[in-house]
Structure formats: structure tokens, C-alpha cells
Amino acid sequence: MDSLYAFLESLAISRFIRESNTLWAFPMFLFAHTLGMSIVAGGSSLIDLALLGFWPRTMPVKPLEKLYPLMWFGFWINLVTGTVLLVADPRTRLGNADFWVKMAFVIAGTVVLFMMRKRVFADPQLDVAPVASHARMLAWVSLVCWFGAIVTGR
């Protein structure tokens, strides 16, 4: 494992992120990572809260499905910036239990995003009948996952 860490740490991008004094290095990647997470977690939380009833009853929930492309954009920002930040300091990141807990929350949250779009937004009764119990359960799980990812990432 040490040889893998040494290889990753020797990459030009790793040295740039770790050693450069410019704002375009670590601060910019960390900012972009935070921005990506806010897009994913914020969009998902908006949908979750709407499904949990924190949404005017006169407004349909179905149009919130349009947030999915934006959330996936935020996810890809996070994937790229997170990978770069990981490669810059793999020993610290991969050796930290909090990192692995964060990854578990992110993976679970991403799976819930897929499930919610497939099961909840595909339901023709979404805006006709009360929100189904499985949709509310997915919304709670989603909130816990994204909250957990944010907290363990800090």
C-alpha cells in the first residue's frame, strides 16, 4: 500500500494541490467540492422536505424532478474534486475512518437518489394522492445520508 501512496503523492496534480501557494490549488478544489456537495445535498433536501410535507399542498411535487440533472452535475463536480483532493493526500484520507464513513453515506445517498427517481417520481399518483409511506421513508433516509456525509466530511 505504501508504494501506491508514494505513486499517488508523486503525481504532478498531487504536488500542485499540496504544495502550491496559489488559490487555484487546494482552496479552489475545496471550494468546488463544497459547492458540489451543496448542490447535491441541497437539491435532494428540497425534494425530501417536499415529500415529507414541508411543501404547499397546492403546489405539485412532480416538477421537482427537474432538479435531478442539476444534482447529477453537483455529484460529478464532487467526484472529480474529491478524487483530486484524495490523491493529494492519500495516506491521511484513506487511513481515516471518518473518510470511509463519509463514503458510505455518499454511496447510500446516491443509491437513494436513484431509487427515489425510479419509485417516487415514476408513481402516477404522486401529486394526486397523499405521498406514499415508502416515499417518506426514502426521504428520511436521504436526509440522514446527506447530513451524515456533510458532518463526517468536516
Side-chain angles (χ1 to χ4, degrees), residues 24-94:
W24 295 105
F26 182 80
M28 184 55 72
F29 276 86
L30 187 60
F31 170 76
H33 193 68
T34 304
L35 181 64
M37 179 57 83
S38 69
I39 293 169
V40 175
S44 181
S45 296
L46 179 64
I47 291 170
D48 298 337
L49 293 172
L51 292 172
L52 292 171
F54 297 96
W55 191 253
R57 293 180 194 262
T58 58
M59 293 180 65
V61 175
K62 180 77 172 154
L64 293 178
E65 188 175 18
K66 293 177 183 174
L67 290 174
Y68 273 86
L70 180 62
M71 290 187 297
W72 288 119
F73 176 69
F75 175 81
W76 286 107
I77 290 172
N78 265 24
L79 184 65
V80 170
T81 58
T83 301
V84 170
L85 292 168
L86 171 68
V87 167
D89 191 12
R91 291 176 204 272
T92 302
R93 305 278 190 264
L94 296 175

Side-chain angles (χ1 to χ4, degrees), residues 9 66 69 96 106 133:
E9 290 169 345
K66 293 177 183 174
N96 186 339
V106 168
S133 61

Side-chain angles (χ1 to χ4, degrees), residues 6 11 20 26-27 35-36 48 63 73 79 82 89 99 101 108 113 127-128 132 135-136 140 149:
L11 295 173
S20 179
F26 182 80
L35 181 64
D48 298 337
F73 176 69
L79 184 65
D89 191 12
F99 171 80
V101 173
L113 279 177
D127 288 326
V128 178
R136 287 192 309 275
W140 279 114

Side-chain angles (χ1 to χ4, degrees), residues 6-16 18 87:
F7 170 73
L8 293 174
E9 290 169 345
S10 71
L11 295 173
I13 186 74
S14 299
R15 288 192 313 273
F16 173 72
R18 202 175 45 249
V87 167

